[in-house]
Amino acid sequence: MNTTQYDYLVVGSGLFGAVFAYKAHQAGFTVLVIDKRFHTGGNVYCENIADINVHTYGAHIFHTNNKEVWDFLNSFVSFNRYTNSPVANYKGRLYNLPFNMNTFYALWGVKTPDEAKEKIEQQRRESGITEPKNLEEQAISLVGKDIYEILIKGYTEKQWGRKCTTLPAFIIKRLPVRFTFDNNYFNDLYQGIPIGGYNKLIDGLLAGIEVKTNTDFFANRAYWENTAEKIIFTGKIDEFYGYRFGKLEYRTVRFETETLTCENYQGNAVVNYTEREIPYTRIIEHKHFEFDKQPQTVISREYPSEWKEGAEPFYPVNDEKNSALYGAYAELACKEKNVIFGGRLAEYRYYDMDKVIERALDKWDNNG
Ligand code: FAD
Ligand code: UDP
């Protein structure tokens, strides 16, 4: 006899959980979403300070090439025309990101793509790297030694707390290298910030669905396991298995947020501080995501550190050791009949928002 109350229990109301819950609800199933935080939305949640949408868990800029994902989101919210074009501050000098002709001109005075390519090629030859094996080698072979030392090394070592020679090359492959004067940080066709904020998107996805916040799955695991036919788990996979093979490592970020009585503090939403000696990686000025004009402004300095119990596990550390450990947990997860694992924590992947949404839509189509 079926004694469960719901068809689906969704653990975590971040983008993965919210999208999956929406699809299940639309299909007529009964769904309960629980989240241990006091709010829904996971890391895209924003709080309103001085009438500005403040990205509580770090700046979130939506970008994608996937039209299906874009159209899906646009059925809940419209997006503004925000285009991410961060500026890097190294020892008081400013450089445009991602690496493009503006950056090369500021660094070397080169004015044409051929001059820039020649400069990079010369530095690549001098380094003797043919097959890049780690982030340092990948970076030098993509953009040369000068850019590596000025814009990458310090920032990356602060962000990941590890030497660039021990980090996987794919982390840096995320960033475009362009021989045009184009400061758009992303190559994707679609980009922007939801008009009305990310909370509006999450509220749209979860409309009509039962949600309990301040509710930790592990505080009453046996009860929650018996409450639904299937569980969608978007928390930490190692925690789900009681850390039986050991703990996966994460990076966390401490945000130091201040309201300032000036209209415009830094003239850009994102300014990265790439030198090692400055302890934060970047300063976010939230109002610029939405072209706001309030008399005040809110800024957040980001201080990355190693994750410890009690902090937010933001970035999976996909080095060899952790990838192998994740593999052991993933093998157990494959054998589960009634539990679906998804999202950044459960899949231990450095997913952007569009990829998480794509995965949730796929999981619904294939396993729901
Ligand atoms: P999460 O948003 O982490 O949601 C998981 C939810 O599960 C959380 O709400 C958590 O409270 C809940 N939970 C966990 N354990 C339990 C439990 N035991 N019981 C109950 N609830 C539980 N992507 C972009 O595309 N663009 C960006 O600019 C961008 N910037 C980012 C900046 C930072 C600092 C970070 C960390 C990520 C950024 N991302 C960005 C990635 C983006 O945040 C993720 O792709 C997306 O939010 C992941 O959604 P998720 O549902 O997998 O996880
Ligand atoms: N990065 C860097 N210098 C910068 C910005 C980024 O070296 O000024 C590197 C760094 O290793 C970082 C990676 O590029 O981890 C990816 O950067 P992105 O901005 O995509 O990171 P996220 O937004 O996920 O924190």
Side-chain angles (χ1 to χ4, degrees):
M1 197 181 74
N2 182 359
T3 55
T4 53
Q5 238 180 308
Y6 300 93
D7 296 313
Y8 290 98
L9 170 72
V10 178
V11 181
S13 64
L15 277 173
F16 191 98
V19 168
F20 196 100
Y22 170 80
K23 293 299 276 186
H25 179 66
Q26 282 289 102
F29 292 98
T30 51
V31 184
L32 171 65
V33 178
I34 61 170
D35 201 300
K36 65 180 179 184
R37 294 182 183 168
F38 72 88
H39 58 76
T40 56
N43 290 342
V44 306
Y45 169 77
C46 293
E47 68 189 302
N48 189 290
I49 303 177
D51 210 21
I52 294 166
N53 275 326
V54 172
H55 298 213
T56 308
Y57 300 98
H60 277 75
I61 300 126
F62 186 81
H63 57 98
T64 191
N65 259 327
N66 184 326
K67 186 161 187 320
E68 191 199 340
V69 167
W70 181 248
D71 289 344
F72 175 72
L73 294 187
N74 274 273
S75 66
F76 301 96
V77 279
S78 300
F79 284 79
N80 71 12
R81 64 161 184 84
Y82 178 78
T83 302
N84 198 28
S85 40
V87 168
N89 181 321
Y90 179 78
K91 303 202 168 169
R93 288 191 65 86
L94 300 184
Y95 301 90
N96 289 110
L97 293 172
F99 314 120
N100 74 83
M101 285 304 295
N102 290 307
T103 330
F104 307 143
Y105 174 67
L107 257 174
W108 301 314
V110 291
K111 297 190 186 72
T112 66
D114 281 349
E115 287 168 9
K117 282 181 189 163
E118 174 50 35
K119 194 86 188 162
I120 291 172
E121 188 47 41
Q122 182 198 334
Q123 298 194 358
R124 193 196 330 247
R125 267 197 312 271
E126 281 165 12
S127 76
I129 298 162
T130 47
E131 274 177 43
K133 286 183 291 300
N134 54 50
L135 194 150
E136 176 173 296
E137 294 186 359
Q138 180 70 56
I140 294 173
S141 64
L142 275 176
V143 285
K145 194 157 171 284
D146 290 350
I147 293 188
Y148 170 66
E149 279 173 1
I150 293 175
L151 299 176
I152 298 175
K153 189 170 192 287
Y155 185 98
T156 300
E157 295 190 353
K158 284 191 282 188
Q159 170 78 359
W160 295 99
R162 285 156 179 80
K163 295 228 168 303
C164 290
T165 46
T166 68
L167 286 165
F170 81 83
I171 293 178
I172 200 71
K173 281 199 212 146
R174 288 164 58 91
L175 302 191
V177 179
R178 284 197 203 108
F179 294 91
T180 50
F181 291 89
D182 177 0
N183 295 328
N184 184 347
Y185 201 57
F186 302 115
N187 285 326
D188 291 338
L189 197 52
Y190 310 104
Q191 180 173 179
I193 303 288
I195 296 173
Y198 286 96
N199 297 1
K200 188 176 168 198
L201 167 63
I202 297 292
D203 290 348
L205 287 164
L206 295 176
I209 299 175
E210 195 179 338
V211 180
K212 291 185 200 291
T213 48
N214 289 313
T215 304
D216 188 336
F217 175 76
F218 296 112
N220 205 347
R221 182 173 184 152
Y223 171 79
W224 294 116
E225 280 180 337
N226 286 316
T227 206
E229 289 291 298
K230 279 196 176 178
I231 295 176
I232 313 308
F233 185 77
T234 74
K236 288 165 65 216
I237 189 167
D238 52 346
E239 190 175 14
F240 187 89
Y241 288 111
Y243 305 109
R244 70 179 73 166
F245 303 129
K247 285 192 174 186
L248 288 164
E249 291 174 300
Y250 301 86
R251 294 291 288 171
T252 192
V253 181
R254 180 171 63 83
F255 301 99
E256 207 176 76
T257 297
E258 274 185 85
T259 306
L260 305 175
T261 50
C262 69
E263 200 230 312
N264 184 359
Y265 173 70
Q266 61 184 15
N268 207 29
V270 184
V271 178
N272 292 0
Y273 287 79
T274 57
E275 70 202 76
R276 190 72 192 84
E277 291 69 27
I278 291 182
Y280 45 87
T281 46
R282 54 191 177 193
I283 300 183
I284 304 299
E285 188 169 10
H286 301 267
K287 70 191 314 182
H288 296 309
F289 289 123
E290 303 190 36
F291 313 104
D292 286 335
K293 297 274 177 283
Q294 295 86 341
Q296 287 169 305
T297 194
V298 179
I299 60 163
S300 301
R301 291 187 178 79
E302 298 190 1
Y303 296 83
S305 64
E306 208 62 14
W307 175 81
K308 291 196 298 283
E309 208 64 61
E312 295 294 346
F314 282 135
Y315 295 95
V317 180
N318 293 112
D319 59 8
E320 269 177 40
K321 183 180 88 179
N322 285 289
S323 300
L325 185 53
Y326 167 69
Y329 286 118
E331 242 177 73
L332 295 180
C334 274
K335 295 186 189 127
E336 300 283 351
K337 293 219 166 30
N338 300 322
V339 186
I340 294 173
F341 293 82
R344 250 200 187 195
L345 300 173
E347 295 181 70
Y348 199 65
R349 286 278 293 273
Y350 189 26
Y351 281 134
D352 277 334
M353 291 182 274
D354 61 327
K355 293 288 179 289
V356 162
I357 294 164
E358 201 175 291
R359 290 287 288 165
L361 294 172
D362 278 359
K363 284 263 176 170
W364 169 255
D365 287 343
N366 299 320
N367 305 80

